[in-house]
Amino acid sequence: MATATTDPVRLPPALRLPKLVQSVLFLTSLQFSVAPRLSRHYGGPFTINLPIFGKTVLIHDRDIVKDVYSTSFDLIERPTKVLGQAFGPGSTFSLLGKEHLERRKLVLPNFHGKRVKNYESIVEDEVLRETANWPEGQEFETLSTMTRLTLNAIMRATFGERADALDELRIVIPPLITLGSLMQRMPPVVRREYGRWSPGSKLAGYRRRFDAVIDELIAEARAESSLAERTDMLALLLQARYEDGQPISDQHIADELLTLIAAGHETTASQLAWAVERLRRHPELMTRLAEEVDAGGDELRQATIYEVQRVRSTIAASLRTTKTKVRLGEWVLPKDTGVMIDFQLAHESDVNYTDPEAFNPDRFIGTTPPSFRWVPFGGGVNRCVGASFANMEMDITLRTLLREFRFAPTDAPDEGRNFRGVAIAPAGGARAVVYRRTDAASSDRDSVSVANHSS
Protein backbone atom coordinates (compact mmCIF):
# COMPACT_ATOMS: atom_id res chain seq x y z
CA MET A 1 0.00 0.00 0.00
CA ALA A 2 0.99 3.62 -0.42
CA THR A 3 2.18 5.27 2.77
CA ALA A 4 2.33 8.82 4.04
CA THR A 5 5.84 10.27 4.00
CA THR A 6 7.86 13.42 4.59
CA ASP A 7 10.53 12.44 2.06
CA PRO A 8 11.38 14.82 -0.80
CA VAL A 9 9.08 14.69 -3.81
CA ARG A 10 10.21 12.32 -6.54
CA LEU A 11 7.91 12.13 -9.54
CA PRO A 12 8.33 9.86 -12.57
CA PRO A 13 9.80 11.57 -15.67
CA ALA A 14 7.53 14.24 -17.12
CA LEU A 15 6.28 14.56 -20.67
CA ARG A 16 7.86 17.75 -22.02
CA LEU A 17 5.14 19.15 -24.23
CA PRO A 18 2.81 22.16 -23.83
CA LYS A 19 -0.10 21.42 -21.50
CA LEU A 20 -2.62 21.94 -24.31
CA VAL A 21 -0.87 19.34 -26.46
CA GLN A 22 -0.78 16.88 -23.57
CA SER A 23 -4.49 17.43 -23.00
CA VAL A 24 -5.31 16.66 -26.63
CA LEU A 25 -3.18 13.53 -26.55
CA PHE A 26 -4.78 12.10 -23.44
CA LEU A 27 -8.39 13.25 -23.73
CA THR A 28 -8.93 11.97 -27.28
CA SER A 29 -8.50 8.72 -29.16
CA LEU A 30 -4.82 9.61 -29.67
CA GLN A 31 -4.12 8.30 -26.17
CA PHE A 32 -4.42 4.69 -27.37
CA SER A 33 -1.32 4.98 -29.54
CA VAL A 34 0.60 7.62 -27.58
CA ALA A 35 0.46 6.06 -24.09
CA PRO A 36 2.12 2.75 -25.11
CA ARG A 37 4.92 4.63 -26.90
CA LEU A 38 5.56 6.86 -23.92
CA SER A 39 5.51 3.92 -21.52
CA ARG A 40 8.13 2.14 -23.62
CA HIS A 41 10.17 5.34 -23.92
CA TYR A 42 10.24 6.00 -20.18
CA GLY A 43 10.43 2.35 -19.20
CA GLY A 44 7.44 2.58 -16.87
CA PRO A 45 5.44 5.32 -15.12
CA PHE A 46 5.59 8.90 -16.39
CA THR A 47 4.02 12.23 -15.47
CA ILE A 48 1.63 14.22 -17.63
CA ASN A 49 -0.18 17.53 -17.12
CA LEU A 50 -3.95 17.42 -17.65
CA PRO A 51 -6.75 20.00 -17.42
CA ILE A 52 -8.85 19.72 -14.25
CA PHE A 53 -6.56 17.05 -12.76
CA GLY A 54 -3.20 18.84 -13.13
CA LYS A 55 -0.02 16.79 -12.69
CA THR A 56 -0.93 13.13 -13.13
CA VAL A 57 1.24 10.04 -12.81
CA LEU A 58 0.30 7.33 -15.32
CA ILE A 59 0.87 3.77 -14.07
CA HIS A 60 0.14 0.17 -15.06
CA ASP A 61 2.64 -1.95 -13.10
CA ARG A 62 0.65 -4.59 -11.20
CA ASP A 63 2.38 -3.96 -7.87
CA ILE A 64 1.77 -0.21 -7.99
CA VAL A 65 -1.80 -0.77 -9.21
CA LYS A 66 -2.35 -3.05 -6.21
CA ASP A 67 -0.90 -0.39 -3.90
CA VAL A 68 -3.23 2.29 -5.28
CA TYR A 69 -6.37 0.16 -5.09
CA SER A 70 -5.46 -1.12 -1.59
CA THR A 71 -4.57 2.22 0.00
CA SER A 72 -6.90 3.86 2.52
CA PHE A 73 -9.06 6.69 1.21
CA ASP A 74 -7.41 8.83 3.89
CA LEU A 75 -4.34 8.91 1.62
CA ILE A 76 -5.64 8.40 -1.91
CA GLU A 77 -9.22 8.82 -3.12
CA ARG A 78 -11.20 9.01 -6.31
CA PRO A 79 -11.69 12.57 -7.61
CA THR A 80 -15.30 13.71 -7.95
CA LYS A 81 -14.64 16.62 -10.32
CA VAL A 82 -16.00 14.97 -13.46
CA LEU A 83 -18.42 12.07 -13.03
CA GLY A 84 -19.76 13.27 -9.70
CA GLN A 85 -20.80 16.60 -11.18
CA ALA A 86 -22.36 14.84 -14.17
CA PHE A 87 -24.62 12.60 -12.08
CA GLY A 88 -25.37 14.78 -9.06
CA PRO A 89 -24.34 14.95 -5.39
CA GLY A 90 -26.25 11.79 -4.49
CA SER A 91 -24.37 9.60 -6.98
CA THR A 92 -21.91 6.98 -5.76
CA PHE A 93 -19.35 8.83 -7.92
CA SER A 94 -19.85 11.96 -5.78
CA LEU A 95 -19.55 10.32 -2.37
CA LEU A 96 -16.26 9.88 -0.54
CA GLY A 97 -14.93 8.05 2.48
CA LYS A 98 -17.37 6.58 4.97
CA GLU A 99 -20.39 8.01 3.15
CA HIS A 100 -19.33 6.24 -0.04
CA LEU A 101 -18.80 2.91 1.73
CA GLU A 102 -22.23 3.12 3.38
CA ARG A 103 -23.94 3.81 0.05
CA ARG A 104 -21.99 1.06 -1.67
CA LYS A 105 -23.22 -1.44 0.93
CA LEU A 106 -26.79 -0.54 0.01
CA VAL A 107 -26.34 -0.61 -3.77
CA LEU A 108 -24.03 -3.60 -4.25
CA PRO A 109 -26.51 -6.34 -3.19
CA ASN A 110 -28.73 -5.34 -6.13
CA PHE A 111 -26.08 -6.68 -8.51
CA HIS A 112 -25.30 -10.10 -7.11
CA GLY A 113 -26.58 -13.67 -7.15
CA LYS A 114 -30.25 -14.31 -7.69
CA ARG A 115 -31.07 -10.64 -8.20
CA VAL A 116 -28.88 -10.44 -11.29
CA LYS A 117 -30.23 -13.77 -12.52
CA ASN A 118 -33.74 -12.29 -12.34
CA TYR A 119 -32.81 -9.95 -15.17
CA GLU A 120 -31.57 -12.60 -17.63
CA SER A 121 -34.96 -12.99 -19.34
CA ILE A 122 -35.16 -9.19 -19.81
CA VAL A 123 -31.80 -9.16 -21.58
CA GLU A 124 -32.68 -12.06 -23.88
CA ASP A 125 -36.01 -10.45 -24.70
CA GLU A 126 -34.27 -7.20 -25.66
CA VAL A 127 -31.70 -9.02 -27.81
CA LEU A 128 -34.43 -10.78 -29.75
CA ARG A 129 -36.41 -7.55 -30.10
CA GLU A 130 -33.45 -5.52 -31.36
CA THR A 131 -32.16 -8.16 -33.79
CA ALA A 132 -35.55 -9.07 -35.26
CA ASN A 133 -34.94 -6.87 -38.28
CA TRP A 134 -31.22 -7.37 -38.74
CA PRO A 135 -30.56 -7.57 -42.51
CA GLU A 136 -29.13 -10.84 -43.78
CA GLY A 137 -26.21 -10.89 -46.14
CA GLN A 138 -25.43 -7.16 -46.07
CA GLU A 139 -22.97 -5.33 -43.91
CA PHE A 140 -24.28 -3.03 -41.17
CA GLU A 141 -23.12 -1.47 -37.90
CA THR A 142 -24.05 -3.41 -34.76
CA LEU A 143 -23.08 -0.74 -32.20
CA SER A 144 -26.42 1.09 -32.45
CA THR A 145 -28.27 -2.17 -31.81
CA MET A 146 -26.10 -2.93 -28.79
CA THR A 147 -26.70 0.57 -27.42
CA ARG A 148 -30.48 0.28 -27.70
CA LEU A 149 -30.70 -3.19 -26.22
CA THR A 150 -28.46 -2.40 -23.24
CA LEU A 151 -30.35 0.84 -22.57
CA ASN A 152 -33.72 -0.90 -22.73
CA ALA A 153 -32.49 -3.78 -20.57
CA ILE A 154 -31.04 -1.58 -17.82
CA MET A 155 -34.15 0.63 -17.80
CA ARG A 156 -36.49 -2.33 -17.44
CA ALA A 157 -34.28 -3.79 -14.72
CA THR A 158 -34.16 -0.41 -13.00
CA PHE A 159 -37.75 0.83 -13.28
CA GLY A 160 -39.91 -2.15 -14.07
CA GLU A 161 -42.37 -2.15 -16.96
CA ARG A 162 -44.07 1.29 -16.90
CA ALA A 163 -44.20 1.78 -20.67
CA ASP A 164 -44.99 5.50 -20.85
CA ALA A 165 -42.29 6.38 -18.30
CA LEU A 166 -39.73 4.31 -20.19
CA ASP A 167 -40.70 6.01 -23.46
CA GLU A 168 -39.92 9.42 -21.95
CA LEU A 169 -36.65 8.17 -20.49
CA ARG A 170 -35.59 6.68 -23.84
CA ILE A 171 -35.87 10.19 -25.27
CA VAL A 172 -34.17 12.00 -22.39
CA ILE A 173 -31.38 9.71 -21.23
CA PRO A 174 -29.18 9.42 -24.39
CA PRO A 175 -28.71 13.20 -24.88
CA LEU A 176 -28.49 13.72 -21.11
CA ILE A 177 -25.61 11.24 -20.84
CA THR A 178 -23.82 12.35 -24.01
CA LEU A 179 -24.07 16.07 -23.33
CA GLY A 180 -23.31 15.61 -19.63
CA SER A 181 -20.14 13.63 -20.29
CA LEU A 182 -18.89 16.21 -22.79
CA MET A 183 -19.76 19.17 -20.59
CA GLN A 184 -17.86 17.84 -17.59
CA ARG A 185 -14.65 18.03 -19.60
CA MET A 186 -15.25 21.71 -20.23
CA PRO A 187 -14.29 24.66 -17.99
CA PRO A 188 -16.96 25.68 -15.44
CA VAL A 189 -17.78 28.81 -17.42
CA VAL A 190 -18.97 26.66 -20.34
CA ARG A 191 -21.22 24.56 -18.11
CA ARG A 192 -23.29 27.49 -16.87
CA GLU A 193 -26.78 28.28 -18.13
CA TYR A 194 -26.75 31.24 -20.52
CA GLY A 195 -30.20 30.96 -22.00
CA ARG A 196 -32.47 28.46 -23.63
CA TRP A 197 -30.07 27.30 -26.35
CA SER A 198 -26.83 27.17 -24.36
CA PRO A 199 -25.40 23.69 -23.65
CA GLY A 200 -25.68 24.24 -19.90
CA SER A 201 -29.36 25.12 -20.18
CA LYS A 202 -30.08 22.13 -22.43
CA LEU A 203 -28.37 19.81 -19.96
CA ALA A 204 -30.35 21.26 -17.05
CA GLY A 205 -33.56 20.84 -19.03
CA TYR A 206 -32.84 17.17 -19.73
CA ARG A 207 -32.09 16.61 -16.04
CA ARG A 208 -35.36 18.26 -14.99
CA ARG A 209 -37.29 15.95 -17.33
CA PHE A 210 -35.44 12.93 -15.92
CA ASP A 211 -36.14 13.98 -12.33
CA ALA A 212 -39.83 14.56 -13.10
CA VAL A 213 -40.21 10.96 -14.31
CA ILE A 214 -38.31 9.59 -11.31
CA ASP A 215 -40.43 11.63 -8.87
CA GLU A 216 -43.57 10.18 -10.42
CA LEU A 217 -42.24 6.62 -10.36
CA ILE A 218 -41.15 6.97 -6.72
CA ALA A 219 -44.57 8.25 -5.69
CA GLU A 220 -46.32 5.39 -7.50
CA ALA A 221 -43.99 2.79 -6.02
CA ARG A 222 -44.53 4.02 -2.48
CA ALA A 223 -48.28 3.79 -2.98
CA GLU A 224 -48.10 0.14 -4.06
CA SER A 225 -49.00 -2.46 -1.48
CA SER A 226 -46.80 -4.96 -3.34
CA LEU A 227 -43.63 -2.83 -3.25
CA ALA A 228 -41.78 -5.42 -1.18
CA GLU A 229 -42.39 -8.04 -3.88
CA ARG A 230 -40.88 -5.99 -6.70
CA THR A 231 -37.37 -6.85 -7.95
CA ASP A 232 -36.54 -3.74 -9.98
CA MET A 233 -33.72 -1.53 -8.69
CA LEU A 234 -35.96 1.46 -7.99
CA ALA A 235 -38.06 -0.61 -5.60
CA LEU A 236 -34.96 -2.09 -3.95
CA LEU A 237 -33.39 1.34 -3.39
CA LEU A 238 -36.64 2.67 -1.91
CA GLN A 239 -36.59 -0.16 0.62
CA ALA A 240 -32.87 0.08 1.42
CA ARG A 241 -31.91 1.39 4.86
CA TYR A 242 -28.63 2.55 6.34
CA GLU A 243 -27.43 1.02 9.60
CA ASP A 244 -29.18 3.78 11.55
CA GLY A 245 -32.48 2.90 9.86
CA GLN A 246 -32.59 5.96 7.59
CA PRO A 247 -33.63 5.61 3.90
CA ILE A 248 -31.80 7.05 0.91
CA SER A 249 -33.28 10.47 0.08
CA ASP A 250 -35.40 10.73 -3.06
CA GLN A 251 -32.95 13.10 -4.76
CA HIS A 252 -30.06 10.78 -4.02
CA ILE A 253 -32.08 7.88 -5.42
CA ALA A 254 -32.59 9.86 -8.63
CA ASP A 255 -28.85 10.59 -8.83
CA GLU A 256 -28.02 6.93 -8.17
CA LEU A 257 -30.46 5.68 -10.80
CA LEU A 258 -29.00 8.03 -13.40
CA THR A 259 -25.55 6.74 -12.47
CA LEU A 260 -26.61 3.12 -12.85
CA ILE A 261 -28.14 3.73 -16.27
CA ALA A 262 -25.34 5.93 -17.61
CA ALA A 263 -22.52 3.74 -16.35
CA GLY A 264 -24.36 0.53 -17.13
CA HIS A 265 -25.51 0.76 -20.71
CA GLU A 266 -23.03 2.56 -22.97
CA THR A 267 -19.97 0.75 -21.63
CA THR A 268 -21.62 -2.66 -21.98
CA ALA A 269 -22.93 -1.78 -25.44
CA SER A 270 -19.43 -0.83 -26.55
CA GLN A 271 -18.01 -4.02 -25.04
CA LEU A 272 -20.54 -6.12 -26.95
CA ALA A 273 -19.68 -4.26 -30.14
CA TRP A 274 -16.01 -5.06 -29.54
CA ALA A 275 -16.94 -8.72 -29.10
CA VAL A 276 -18.54 -8.71 -32.57
CA GLU A 277 -15.55 -6.88 -34.04
CA ARG A 278 -13.06 -9.35 -32.52
CA LEU A 279 -14.99 -12.56 -33.24
CA ARG A 280 -15.50 -11.82 -36.93
CA ARG A 281 -11.71 -11.80 -37.25
CA HIS A 282 -11.36 -15.17 -35.50
CA PRO A 283 -13.67 -17.60 -37.32
CA GLU A 284 -12.33 -20.75 -35.64
CA LEU A 285 -13.23 -19.26 -32.27
CA MET A 286 -16.70 -18.36 -33.55
CA THR A 287 -17.23 -21.96 -34.59
CA ARG A 288 -16.16 -23.25 -31.18
CA LEU A 289 -18.45 -20.75 -29.43
CA ALA A 290 -21.46 -21.73 -31.56
CA GLU A 291 -20.83 -25.41 -30.87
CA GLU A 292 -20.59 -24.66 -27.15
CA VAL A 293 -23.91 -22.78 -27.22
CA ASP A 294 -25.58 -25.70 -28.99
CA ALA A 295 -24.21 -28.05 -26.33
CA GLY A 296 -25.43 -25.83 -23.49
CA GLY A 297 -21.97 -24.84 -22.26
CA ASP A 298 -20.55 -21.47 -21.29
CA GLU A 299 -16.88 -21.84 -20.24
CA LEU A 300 -15.37 -20.65 -23.53
CA ARG A 301 -17.95 -17.87 -23.82
CA GLN A 302 -17.03 -16.55 -20.36
CA ALA A 303 -13.33 -16.74 -21.22
CA THR A 304 -14.06 -14.82 -24.43
CA ILE A 305 -15.82 -12.09 -22.47
CA TYR A 306 -12.78 -11.75 -20.21
CA GLU A 307 -10.43 -11.60 -23.20
CA VAL A 308 -12.51 -9.02 -25.09
CA GLN A 309 -12.45 -6.85 -21.98
CA ARG A 310 -8.69 -7.30 -21.75
CA VAL A 311 -7.78 -6.39 -25.32
CA ARG A 312 -10.49 -3.76 -25.86
CA SER A 313 -11.50 -2.19 -22.54
CA THR A 314 -14.29 0.34 -22.96
CA ILE A 315 -12.96 2.53 -20.15
CA ALA A 316 -9.48 3.99 -20.62
CA ALA A 317 -8.40 4.39 -17.02
CA SER A 318 -9.37 5.04 -13.44
CA LEU A 319 -8.22 8.14 -11.60
CA ARG A 320 -7.19 8.80 -8.02
CA THR A 321 -5.85 11.87 -6.20
CA THR A 322 -3.37 11.99 -3.34
CA LYS A 323 -4.71 13.68 -0.19
CA THR A 324 -1.25 14.08 1.33
CA LYS A 325 2.34 13.41 0.33
CA VAL A 326 2.64 9.65 -0.25
CA ARG A 327 5.25 7.09 -1.20
CA LEU A 328 4.05 4.93 -4.09
CA GLY A 329 6.61 2.34 -5.10
CA GLU A 330 9.88 4.17 -5.68
CA TRP A 331 8.12 7.50 -6.19
CA VAL A 332 7.08 10.22 -3.75
CA LEU A 333 3.97 12.12 -4.85
CA PRO A 334 2.94 15.47 -3.36
CA LYS A 335 -0.58 16.25 -2.21
CA ASP A 336 -3.18 16.75 -4.98
CA THR A 337 -1.27 14.68 -7.53
CA GLY A 338 -3.39 12.64 -9.93
CA VAL A 339 -2.75 8.92 -10.34
CA MET A 340 -4.06 7.38 -13.56
CA ILE A 341 -4.25 3.59 -13.83
CA ASP A 342 -4.11 2.94 -17.57
CA PHE A 343 -6.15 -0.16 -18.38
CA GLN A 344 -4.78 -0.58 -21.90
CA LEU A 345 -1.16 -0.57 -20.72
CA ALA A 346 -1.94 -3.01 -17.90
CA HIS A 347 -3.70 -5.38 -20.28
CA GLU A 348 -1.01 -5.18 -22.97
CA SER A 349 1.94 -5.62 -20.61
CA ASP A 350 4.19 -8.59 -21.38
CA VAL A 351 4.92 -8.73 -17.64
CA ASN A 352 1.23 -9.28 -16.89
CA TYR A 353 0.44 -11.61 -19.81
CA THR A 354 2.18 -14.07 -22.10
CA ASP A 355 1.84 -12.94 -25.73
CA PRO A 356 -0.39 -10.00 -24.71
CA GLU A 357 -1.00 -8.82 -28.28
CA ALA A 358 -2.78 -12.05 -29.20
CA PHE A 359 -6.55 -12.37 -28.88
CA ASN A 360 -6.64 -15.70 -27.07
CA PRO A 361 -9.62 -16.50 -24.82
CA ASP A 362 -8.07 -19.86 -23.97
CA ARG A 363 -5.76 -18.03 -21.56
CA PHE A 364 -8.79 -17.71 -19.25
CA ILE A 365 -10.17 -21.24 -19.58
CA GLY A 366 -10.48 -22.82 -16.15
CA THR A 367 -9.34 -19.70 -14.34
CA THR A 368 -10.41 -16.20 -13.44
CA PRO A 369 -8.57 -13.06 -14.54
CA PRO A 370 -5.64 -12.11 -12.31
CA SER A 371 -6.20 -9.37 -9.75
CA PHE A 372 -4.59 -5.99 -10.45
CA ARG A 373 -3.57 -7.13 -13.96
CA TRP A 374 -7.12 -7.39 -15.39
CA VAL A 375 -8.90 -4.19 -14.43
CA PRO A 376 -11.70 -3.26 -16.86
CA PHE A 377 -14.00 -2.52 -13.90
CA GLY A 378 -11.39 -0.71 -11.84
CA GLY A 379 -10.55 -1.97 -8.37
CA GLY A 380 -10.64 -1.49 -4.63
CA VAL A 381 -13.59 0.14 -2.86
CA ASN A 382 -14.48 1.98 -6.08
CA ARG A 383 -14.71 -1.09 -8.31
CA CYS A 384 -17.79 -0.87 -10.54
CA VAL A 385 -20.82 -2.07 -8.58
CA GLY A 386 -22.49 -3.20 -11.80
CA ALA A 387 -19.70 -5.56 -12.89
CA SER A 388 -21.80 -8.69 -12.29
CA PHE A 389 -24.77 -7.22 -14.16
CA ALA A 390 -22.54 -6.24 -17.10
CA ASN A 391 -21.01 -9.71 -17.23
CA MET A 392 -24.45 -11.33 -17.18
CA GLU A 393 -25.66 -8.99 -19.91
CA MET A 394 -22.71 -9.81 -22.16
CA ASP A 395 -23.08 -13.53 -21.52
CA ILE A 396 -26.81 -13.66 -22.30
CA THR A 397 -26.44 -11.39 -25.33
CA LEU A 398 -23.60 -13.40 -26.88
CA ARG A 399 -25.36 -16.69 -26.13
CA THR A 400 -28.51 -15.45 -27.87
CA LEU A 401 -26.65 -13.99 -30.85
CA LEU A 402 -24.60 -17.17 -31.40
CA ARG A 403 -27.76 -19.28 -31.12
CA GLU A 404 -29.73 -17.16 -33.58
CA PHE A 405 -27.10 -15.97 -36.07
CA ARG A 406 -24.03 -17.00 -38.00
CA PHE A 407 -21.57 -14.11 -38.32
CA ALA A 408 -19.67 -14.03 -41.60
CA PRO A 409 -15.93 -13.77 -40.92
CA THR A 410 -13.87 -10.96 -42.41
CA ASP A 411 -10.30 -10.13 -43.32
CA ALA A 412 -10.94 -6.38 -43.02
CA PRO A 413 -8.43 -4.41 -40.93
CA ASP A 414 -9.13 -4.15 -37.23
CA GLU A 415 -11.48 -1.29 -36.35
CA GLY A 416 -9.77 1.53 -34.49
CA ARG A 417 -10.68 2.80 -31.04
CA ASN A 418 -13.10 5.73 -30.87
CA PHE A 419 -13.43 7.62 -27.59
CA ARG A 420 -17.09 8.75 -27.36
CA GLY A 421 -16.89 10.76 -24.15
CA VAL A 422 -18.09 7.92 -21.92
CA ALA A 423 -16.91 4.70 -23.50
CA ILE A 424 -14.39 3.52 -26.08
CA ALA A 425 -16.16 1.91 -29.03
CA PRO A 426 -15.14 0.43 -32.40
CA ALA A 427 -14.54 3.31 -34.80
CA GLY A 428 -16.47 1.55 -37.56
CA GLY A 429 -19.44 0.73 -35.37
CA ALA A 430 -18.57 -3.00 -35.21
CA ARG A 431 -19.66 -3.84 -38.72
CA ALA A 432 -21.08 -7.29 -39.34
CA VAL A 433 -22.65 -9.53 -41.97
CA VAL A 434 -25.06 -12.06 -40.48
CA TYR A 435 -27.26 -14.98 -41.52
CA ARG A 436 -29.98 -16.54 -39.42
CA ARG A 437 -28.98 -20.01 -38.43
CA THR A 438 -32.45 -21.27 -39.35
CA ASP A 439 -31.78 -20.26 -43.00
CA ALA A 440 -29.52 -23.00 -44.27
CA ALA A 441 -30.21 -22.11 -47.89
CA SER A 442 -27.75 -19.25 -48.08
CA SER A 443 -24.43 -20.23 -49.60
CA ASP A 444 -22.97 -16.75 -49.32
CA ARG A 445 -21.99 -17.26 -45.69
CA ASP A 446 -18.89 -19.26 -46.68
CA SER A 447 -17.80 -17.02 -49.53
CA VAL A 448 -16.00 -14.39 -47.46
CA SER A 449 -12.21 -14.25 -47.59
CA VAL A 450 -10.88 -14.84 -44.11
CA ALA A 451 -7.66 -13.97 -42.34
CA ASN A 452 -7.39 -15.23 -38.77
CA HIS A 453 -5.90 -12.12 -37.15
CA SER A 454 -3.61 -12.47 -34.17
CA SER A 455 -4.60 -9.23 -32.47
Side-chain angles (χ1 to χ4, degrees):
M1 293 187 292
T3 57
T5 183
T6 58
D7 292 345
V9 170
R10 184 168 183 260
L11 288 169
L15 180 59
R16 299 187 181 280
L17 288 173
K19 184 175 181 179
L20 178 61
V21 176
Q22 295 186 44
S23 301
V24 171
L25 292 177
F26 281 88
L27 296 179
T28 68
S29 297
L30 292 173
Q31 65 180 295
F32 308 121
S33 59
V34 172
R37 295 178 188 174
L38 291 174
S39 181
R40 289 192 297 269
H41 175 74
Y42 291 115
F46 57 92
T47 305
I48 57 177
N49 200 355
L50 296 176
I52 303 177
F53 302 107
K55 285 189 177 180
T56 301
V57 175
L58 191 145
I59 65 171
H60 70 278
D61 176 87
R62 60 187 175 187
D63 293 329
I64 301 182
V65 170
K66 179 180 179 180
D67 285 346
V68 172
Y69 283 146
S70 304
T71 296
S72 165
F73 53 71
D74 293 329
L75 300 180
I76 299 177
E77 68 182 6
R78 179 176 57 190
T80 61
K81 295 177 181 178
V82 177
L83 291 177
Q85 294 177 7
F87 299 135
S91 164
T92 302
F93 286 110
S94 298
L95 305 179
L96 298 172
K98 182 180 178 181
E99 191 177 11
H100 169 265
L101 293 178
E102 290 176 344
R103 175 65 59 78
R104 185 178 175 86
K105 286 173 64 176
L106 295 186
V107 174
L108 194 58
N110 297 330
F111 294 96
H112 279 294
K114 292 182 179 179
R115 288 186 176 176
V116 168
K117 195 168 184 63
N118 288 337
Y119 304 130
E120 290 183 0
S121 60
I122 291 177
V123 174
E124 181 169 2
D125 182 49
E126 290 301 330
V127 176
L128 294 174
R129 183 202 309 270
E130 288 296 333
T131 60
N133 295 316
W134 268 11
E136 291 190 69
Q138 52 184 292
E139 192 174 65
F140 65 101
E141 294 184 7
T142 61
L143 178 58
S144 58
T145 292
M146 303 305 181
T147 302
R148 286 192 300 270
L149 77 85
T150 56
L151 177 59
N152 287 334
I154 191 67
M155 286 202 303
R156 288 175 61 187
T158 300
F159 302 115
E161 302 291 346
R162 250 284 301 271
D164 56 338
L166 296 188
D167 287 344
E168 169 70 356
L169 291 174
R170 287 187 187 98
I171 296 172
V172 171
I173 287 174
L176 172 58
I177 294 172
T178 301
L179 184 57
S181 64
L182 294 174
M183 290 286 287
Q184 297 315 308
R185 287 172 167 77
M186 302 294 178
V189 66
V190 179
R191 300 199 296 265
R192 295 174 186 163
E193 296 184 50
Y194 292 104
R196 180 179 178 185
W197 301 109
S198 69
S201 297
K202 287 185 177 180
L203 181 61
Y206 288 132
R207 182 57 202 256
R208 284 191 292 271
R209 290 173 65 181
F210 175 85
D211 286 345
V213 175
I214 302 304
D215 288 344
E216 183 179 346
L217 290 174
I218 287 176
E220 289 182 358
R222 284 209 175 99
E224 288 186 16
S225 58
S226 59
L227 176 62
E229 301 172 10
R230 285 174 48 172
T231 59
D232 57 272
M233 295 176 197
L234 170 60
L236 295 173
L237 288 177
L238 284 172
Q239 298 171 79
R241 294 295 183 271
Y242 292 106
E243 291 182 358
D244 62 2
Q246 293 299 309
I248 306 174
S249 71
D250 288 0
Q251 186 56 58
H252 278 208
I253 286 178
D255 292 345
E256 203 67 83
L257 291 173
L258 178 59
T259 303
L260 295 176
I261 295 169
H265 96 274
E266 188 167 359
T267 52
T268 306
S270 297
Q271 204 72 78
L272 285 166
W274 278 121
V276 171
E277 192 273 347
R278 291 289 80 200
L279 290 177
R280 289 195 67 212
R281 288 155 177 81
H282 297 81
E284 292 182 4
L285 176 60
M286 277 198 297
T287 298
R288 291 173 60 197
L289 286 166
E291 291 173 348
E292 182 186 61
V293 167
D294 293 345
D298 64 1
E299 184 179 46
L300 179 60
R301 187 167 69 252
Q302 181 61 70
T304 300
I305 291 170
Y306 290 149
E307 182 71 343
V308 171
Q309 291 172 317
R310 184 187 73 84
V311 299
R312 294 294 189 273
S313 293
T314 59
I315 300 296
S318 60
L319 287 162
R320 300 292 184 269
T321 303
T322 58
K323 297 180 68 176
T324 186
K325 185 189 289 186
V326 300
R327 174 173 291 281
L328 186 63
E330 64 180 289
W331 312 107
V332 177
L333 282 53
K335 180 181 179 181
D336 295 327
T337 300
V339 180
M340 177 184 289
I341 300 165
D342 190 298
F343 297 170
Q344 178 189 357
L345 294 185
H347 294 163
E348 294 179 357
S349 168
D350 56 10
V351 175
N352 290 342
Y353 294 97
T354 301
D355 195 13
E357 298 298 322
F359 179 66
N360 177 25
D362 286 305
R363 74 174 79 239
F364 292 125
I365 292 290
T367 187
T368 55
S371 299
F372 309 113
R373 289 180 285 169
W374 184 86
V375 286
F377 295 109
V381 297
N382 296 118
R383 188 176 189 270
C384 176
V385 296
S388 294
F389 186 94
N391 186 82
M392 175 277 295
E393 196 167 16
M394 289 191 67
D395 179 57
I396 299 302
T397 299
L398 289 178
R399 184 189 70 187
T400 307
L401 291 177
L402 290 164
R403 185 189 70 208
E404 300 293 324
F405 295 95
R406 189 184 304 275
F407 287 78
T410 182
D411 58 1
D414 297 346
E415 293 189 26
R417 293 175 168 98
N418 178 33
F419 181 57
R420 303 200 299 168
V422 175
I424 303 161
R431 303 190 69 81
V433 176
V434 302
Y435 299 91
R436 293 195 175 275
R437 291 187 63 184
T438 53
D439 181 10
S442 176
S443 60
D444 293 337
R445 65 187 59 171
D446 297 320
S447 65
V448 182
S449 176
V450 175
N452 206 357
H453 292 237
S454 62
S455 62

